Amino acid sequence: MSRLDRFRIDDGRHLPALAIDEGSSFLHGRARYRATCSCGRMPPHPPGSREEAERAHARHAATRLGPERLGLRLAALALGMLVVWGTCYAAGRSLSDAKAVLGAFHLMGLALAFGLMVAARRFIAPTRG
């Protein structure tokens, strides 16, 4: 895994790769499988039957962020940023009609909205690593 892999965003694609564990298969006298995932972040699990390996991968994939949940989180972030900016803008309009005050509140609202985006980035799109 390269140093830049930890910045790769989890895209929701988790493709299973089943492999026969040769050491365990030799000891048990029948094929024992291990599952790995294309994301490279699947926790280790004991070798078992093919169905057990598939279930282990399904449990792993269910805990990761999928594209459908990412869209909802981005929409919630955009709505939150709009509310923060709109509240600051409305506060500036209610305090004074001076353009300097309105401009200051407008910039403060933008700064707070983008601060919210930076603070929520790990919740919105978790990175690998």
Side-chain angles (χ1 to χ4, degrees):
M1 189 183 282
S2 73
R3 294 181 70 196
L4 296 177
D5 280 343
R6 66 188 176 115
F7 296 112
R8 199 170 289 151
I9 292 176
D10 188 355
D11 59 359
R13 294 186 201 147
H14 295 276
L15 305 174
L18 300 178
I20 294 177
D21 187 295
E22 293 179 11
S24 180
S25 296
F26 178 74
L27 290 175
H28 288 91
R30 64 177 186 265
R32 308 279 286 176
Y33 291 86
R34 282 195 185 273
T36 57
C37 187
S38 62
C39 72
R41 304 269 307 158
M42 186 171 167
H45 62 90
S49 68
R50 184 176 182 89
E51 292 78 23
E52 289 170 351
E54 289 171 350
R55 279 195 303 268
H57 181 266
R59 280 192 307 271
H60 159 73
T63 62
R64 299 296 177 193
L65 181 67
E68 63 280 350
R69 287 188 273 176
L70 181 61
L72 291 175
R73 289 179 181 192
L74 287 174
L77 174 64
L79 181 64
M81 290 174 66
L82 185 63
V83 166
V84 167
W85 171 81
T87 302
C88 288
Y89 184 78
R93 289 291 279 185
S94 67
L95 288 177
S96 173
D97 287 333
K99 288 187 179 186
V101 172
L102 185 60
F105 272 87
H106 178 72
L107 287 175
M108 183 176 69
L110 287 174
L112 288 174
F114 285 109
L116 173 67
M117 180 179 64
V118 170
R121 75 181 183 271
R122 294 209 187 270
F123 172 73
I124 301 300
T127 56
R128 297 176 186 173

